[in-house]
Amino acid sequence: MVAMTIFKNRTLRPFAAVALGLAAMVLAAAPKDAPATSGPGIDLPGMDRSVAPGDDFYRYANGTWMKTTEIPADRPAFGPDAVLAELTTTRTADLIKEAAASSAPAGSEARKVGDYYAAYMDEAGIEARGLAPLQPTLDRIAAIADRKSLSRYLGGTLRADVDAINATDMYTDNVFGVWVAQDMNDPSRYLPFLMQGGLDMPDRAYYLDDSARMETIRGKVKEHIGLRYLPLKIPDPQGKAARIYDLERKIAEAHASREDSGDVKKSNNHWARAEFETKAPGLDWDEFFTAAGLGAARDFGIWQPSAVTGISALAAREPVETWRDYLTFHALDHFASVLPEAFGQERFAFHGTVLAGTPERRDRWKRAVDAAGFALGEAVGRLYVEKYFPPQAKARVEEMVKNLMAAFGRRIDALDWMSPATRARAKAKLAVLKVGVGYPDAWLDYSGLRVERADAFANADRAERFEYERNLRKLGRPVDRSEWVMTPQTVNAVNLPVMNALNFPAAILQPPYFDPTRPAAMDYGAIGAVIGHEVSHSFDDSGALFDETGRFQNWWTDEDRAHFEAASERLAKQYDAYKPFPDLAVNGKLTLGENIADVAGLAASYDAYRLSLGGKPAPAVAGFTPDQQFFISFAQSWRQKVREPALRQQILGDGHAPNEYRGDTVRNLDPWYAAFDAKPGQALYLAPGDRVRVW
Ligand SMILES: [Zn+2]
């Protein structure tokens, strides 16, 4: 909602989620109903057959589509995931509006969904109330007089708005975020993890990198901060903006880098409650944790210790007046979407246009649909699944999952370098993997969330608190491995490494990723590779660190690890060589986990496809052999156009390589060379010894 970013890691892709809370859905020609495949099942006119597949497979499969497709004005990027997101939003919107118009009984989920949407749409009411709904918060900030009251306020705004390795959302605009997850040293219990936050811009690099582009953005963020104060008629907004920015820069200096935050070895730190005063002096931790509802917690995970120490010291060192200004700015920014229009416009002008290059703000009704879907995600998901995800689709995908798991098991058996001990642990891990298809086994209970039809601000505030309290209630309870971290209406997929579970939401199980009416080769090339990608995350550079119980424990022998790391190193080099811009290359190390997942996922899905045939031949389509269909379908599932600022933002901070290079994963698979006759001298050609096979 108010603070979503495109910084996703272990998920399938970065832009499919609602990027910055403002990724877009204006696709005038978007189909209202499922785009049933009538025809070949792959996009033949979208290919460019004048390009040799061995030189540029991505353009061979997508060249004409790339030339003829425009990114809609309100999106940072565009591709099939955006088309599906649009279709799903349209459908979800219809369900939500239906709920708003119906007279569902008070207290029912349908009523809550409808009321949430209606309140968000009540623009006149929101304008009329002005800043009144935020006034109690502004008063609390104005009353901060010392370190103690500052600590109390900061604790009281703590929310469950981050996730280190499941949904992987590293960003919160509060100084810290809480992630309640399995203790990686003792996976039988939950632990509250503290994660760094407090920046208006997406990452510390925006404050500290000395490139010209970052200099320009820094100039604009100060304007953005100052403008926030104008409606409050507070004197010297520019002076305040400069001081607030300066505090944020100091917070950024304390932050761990995005790369370090993705490194579990550096991040799995445990602090006992009693250690905070000595390890991170500054904040009044008693006040902080009591206000946060965590007064009884004895142990914490500390994902970025430097940030906890640094921010706590700043709480004591920086003038209280600067903190008050900083918190006022953040409160206005945080709730901008449910305050009068001027605040939302200003937030979009900076976060949407300056940071992501998106020219137009999305229509209010689309934002309202997102907001309701975010606050009441599984309630909306339940309505969605009942209407759009038939049991036959679930059964068919589960059959593919079965073949993928079998293929993965065979690949593990066939690894000549792996020791029997490591092999046994890998097979044990594969055996416990809990694969969720479409929707969770049990739905979340929203009976404790109050929603009022006439109060968008209070609804948003209560929804955040509800989610926070729901997470705190997990502490001390048995771990529930069936819980999902994505809603069924999300066009994405995710691996939950500590839970040893995978989520494949219903909304990604649609064409062009999945279509039971087309030849199976195409489904295995698209959704099959996605499933393989997520399975392999359990065995990639981070997944290899968690055993079959979710414990953070090296389950490899040293020799096995050495081989794995050597292969990883070669893959990192392969991606380091991709340069989308003369001054910016893909970061092979940052994207390594995702790239391993792409290679392993595609290879496993190819095997699973062969397995599914049971020795029977498959038909050619439009002159393409089954193997060619498989690889073209794969490259087409990754087609995407991205605006330059958004692409640069992704390369700097996201764990996923740009889609074009993900499509080029094919060059690591021997069958691709046979299928397209790729030869030495062609740009994508790798000698057999240079093709990376990790699994
Ligand atoms: Zn992934």
Side-chain angles (χ1 to χ4, degrees):
M1 180 170 49
V2 270
M4 286 186 102
T5 75
I6 60 164
F7 287 80
K8 301 278 174 193
N9 186 24
R10 196 156 302 279
T11 53
L12 175 68
R13 61 187 75 243
F15 290 107
V18 184
L20 293 166
L22 40 86
M25 318 278 163
V26 173
L27 222 199
K32 198 109 166 100
D33 293 299
T37 303
S38 56
I42 46 179
D43 177 15
L44 297 173
M47 300 175 66
D48 181 352
R49 297 207 216 179
S50 71
V51 176
D55 276 330
D56 189 340
F57 190 62
Y58 187 74
R59 268 170 197 76
Y60 167 76
N62 299 308
T64 305
W65 181 87
M66 299 289 288
K67 277 181 226 141
T68 54
T69 300
E70 298 266 358
I71 305 172
D74 65 348
R75 295 201 77 105
F78 188 72
D81 52 344
V83 175
L84 274 196
E86 163 70 8
L87 172 68
T88 308
T89 297
T90 308
R91 287 171 163 179
T92 308
D94 287 347
L95 292 168
I96 291 175
K97 287 189 230 169
E98 214 172 282
S102 77
S103 46
S108 68
E109 282 189 354
R111 176 70 171 267
K112 286 179 187 184
V113 168
D115 284 354
Y116 201 99
Y117 174 84
Y120 197 103
M121 287 302 289
D122 177 20
E123 208 175 339
I126 291 171
E127 289 298 324
R129 283 188 290 278
L131 281 172
L134 190 64
Q135 200 54 50
T137 303
L138 296 176
D139 291 346
R140 273 200 302 282
I141 295 170
I144 294 172
D146 51 21
R147 194 171 61 95
K148 195 168 171 158
S149 46
L150 173 62
S151 303
R152 194 182 312 132
Y153 180 86
L154 293 175
T157 54
L158 215 51
R159 296 291 177 264
D161 53 2
V162 286
D163 178 324
I165 52 173
N166 284 337
T168 315
D169 189 353
M170 298 278 189
Y171 179 87
T172 172
D173 52 348
N174 292 324
V175 289
F176 300 116
V178 171
W179 177 51
V180 177
Q182 277 163 285
D183 180 349
M184 293 167 203
N185 296 351
D186 175 7
S188 68
R189 67 164 190 172
Y190 285 111
L191 194 68
F193 289 84
L194 273 192
M195 294 179 66
Q196 69 188 16
L199 303 179
D200 184 55
M201 294 196 282
D203 186 77
R204 79 195 290 273
Y206 285 77
Y207 297 81
L208 305 176
D209 279 10
D210 50 15
S211 66
R213 179 178 146 71
M214 290 305 191
E215 273 306 335
T216 310
I217 291 179
R218 282 196 280 271
K220 290 186 174 157
V221 76
K222 285 173 209 166
E223 282 170 36
H224 166 60
I225 297 172
L227 280 171
R228 280 267 179 257
Y229 281 96
L230 298 180
L232 297 183
K233 301 191 176 57
I234 286 175
D236 188 25
Q238 296 313 328
K240 281 188 192 304
R243 288 189 291 278
I244 292 164
Y245 175 79
D246 197 48
L247 174 55
E248 292 211 2
R249 192 184 46 76
K250 288 173 185 165
I251 293 173
E253 282 167 357
H255 269 210
S257 70
R258 180 60 184 75
E259 208 170 301
D260 281 351
S261 297
D263 185 341
V264 183
K265 277 172 283 190
K266 290 182 178 156
S267 310
N268 182 33
N269 308 291
H270 287 62
W271 288 10
R273 168 65 192 85
E275 292 178 287
F276 278 76
E277 277 77 9
T278 47
K279 286 188 166 166
L283 276 170
D284 185 326
W285 289 107
D286 270 339
E287 289 289 335
F288 179 87
F289 283 123
T290 303
L294 281 163
R298 304 285 30 114
D299 299 299
F300 292 84
I302 304 294
W303 204 255
Q304 300 107 341
S306 69
V308 177
T309 303
I311 291 169
S312 181
L314 288 169
R317 198 190 310 137
E318 291 297 303
V320 167
E321 191 195 347
T322 305
W323 276 107
R324 282 197 300 259
D325 291 342
Y326 163 90
L327 292 169
T328 304
F329 162 67
H330 273 270
L332 290 164
D333 212 47
H334 185 89
F335 287 107
S337 63
V338 284
L339 289 175
E341 192 59 6
F343 291 95
Q345 292 287 6
E346 170 51 30
R347 185 177 160 81
F348 176 78
F350 183 69
H351 289 266
T353 306
V354 173
L355 289 182
T358 311
E360 268 175 38
R361 197 170 177 216
R362 303 176 58 214
D363 294 340
R364 185 170 198 95
W365 71 266
K366 291 175 183 168
R367 286 182 271 131
V369 165
D370 279 352
F374 188 76
L376 289 140
E378 289 198 6
V380 174
R382 205 165 169 170
L383 299 172
Y384 178 85
V385 161
E386 275 166 18
K387 188 148 182 185
Y388 295 111
F389 192 60
Q392 310 88 281
K394 187 170 161 87
R396 172 124 179 175
V397 178
E398 280 171 343
E399 178 69 27
M400 289 182 73
V401 168
K402 218 176 77 201
N403 286 330
L404 254 298
M405 302 292 263
F408 224 95
R410 288 184 188 194
R411 292 185 75 84
I412 292 171
D413 285 335
L415 291 176
D416 48 10
W417 53 269
M418 184 173 268
S419 68
T422 304
R423 195 193 309 275
R425 297 302 293 274
K427 297 289 290 271
K429 198 167 173 181
L430 194 63
V432 300
L433 212 52
K434 188 170 170 56
V435 181
V437 172
Y439 51 90
D441 297 343
W443 297 100
L444 286 187
D445 173 11
Y446 290 98
S447 54
L449 175 60
R450 191 155 60 90
V451 177
E452 285 172 61
R453 202 174 179 94
D455 200 343
F457 181 96
N459 290 342
D461 189 31
R462 274 194 300 259
E464 288 184 1
R465 287 170 197 272
F466 174 80
E467 179 63 6
Y468 183 57
E469 282 154 18
R470 183 180 77 76
N471 275 281
L472 291 198
R473 275 197 302 277
K474 291 185 206 167
L475 297 171
R477 289 192 188 171
V479 168
D480 175 10
R481 283 180 59 220
S482 66
E483 191 189 344
W484 275 44
V485 306
M486 266 181 186
T487 63
Q489 65 274 25
T490 308
V491 183
N492 211 330
V494 66
N495 179 305
L496 318 177
V498 187
M499 287 155 84
N500 278 321
L502 310 181
N503 299 167
F504 295 100
I508 199 176
L509 303 172
Q510 304 185 69
Y513 302 108
F514 171 67
D515 178 357
T517 68
R518 69 182 177 180
M522 300 174 191
D523 276 353
Y524 278 93
I527 196 69
V530 169
I531 297 168
H533 171 111
E534 296 304 337
V535 171
S536 85
H537 269 317
S538 296
F539 307 94
D540 69 15
D541 58 332
S542 295
L545 302 172
F546 297 97
D547 71 9
E548 70 273 17
T549 68
R551 192 182 303 271
F552 183 65
Q553 188 190 60
N554 181 1
W555 48 278
W556 298 68
T557 65
D558 289 346
E559 298 76 52
D560 291 332
R561 175 160 295 276
H563 177 96
F564 180 77
E565 282 174 357
S568 302
E569 193 59 39
R570 280 193 289 134
L571 197 63
K573 285 214 180 77
Q574 196 181 102
Y575 281 77
D576 278 338
Y578 293 135
K579 283 193 101 174
F581 304 105
D583 63 334
L584 189 62
V586 174
N587 182 339
K589 187 151 183 273
L590 174 66
T591 57
L592 182 60
E594 293 303 325
N595 299 333
I596 291 175
D598 281 348
V599 175
L602 186 64
S605 192
Y606 180 83
D607 291 357
Y609 171 58
R610 293 267 139 209
L611 206 61
S612 78
L613 291 176
K616 290 191 219 80
V621 174
F624 291 116
T625 67
D627 275 15
Q628 288 173 331
Q629 296 162 34
F630 175 89
F631 288 112
I632 292 170
S633 178
F634 174 76
Q636 291 193 340
S637 75
W638 287 112
R639 58 169 53 163
Q640 185 182 48
K641 293 190 77 164
V642 192
R643 295 183 193 280
E644 180 174 333
L647 187 56
R648 283 179 179 272
Q649 186 178 344
Q650 181 190 353
I651 292 166
L652 280 176
D654 198 278
H656 303 85
N659 282 23
E660 167 170 358
Y661 310 113
R662 302 185 71 176
D664 288 343
T665 302
V666 295
R667 64 199 292 224
N668 291 295
L669 268 72
D670 297 340
W672 175 77
Y673 288 83
F676 293 97
D677 198 23
K679 290 193 174 68
Q682 292 190 307
L684 289 179
Y685 181 85
L686 292 170
D690 292 333
R691 296 170 199 165
V692 176
R693 174 180 170 157
V694 181
W695 286 94

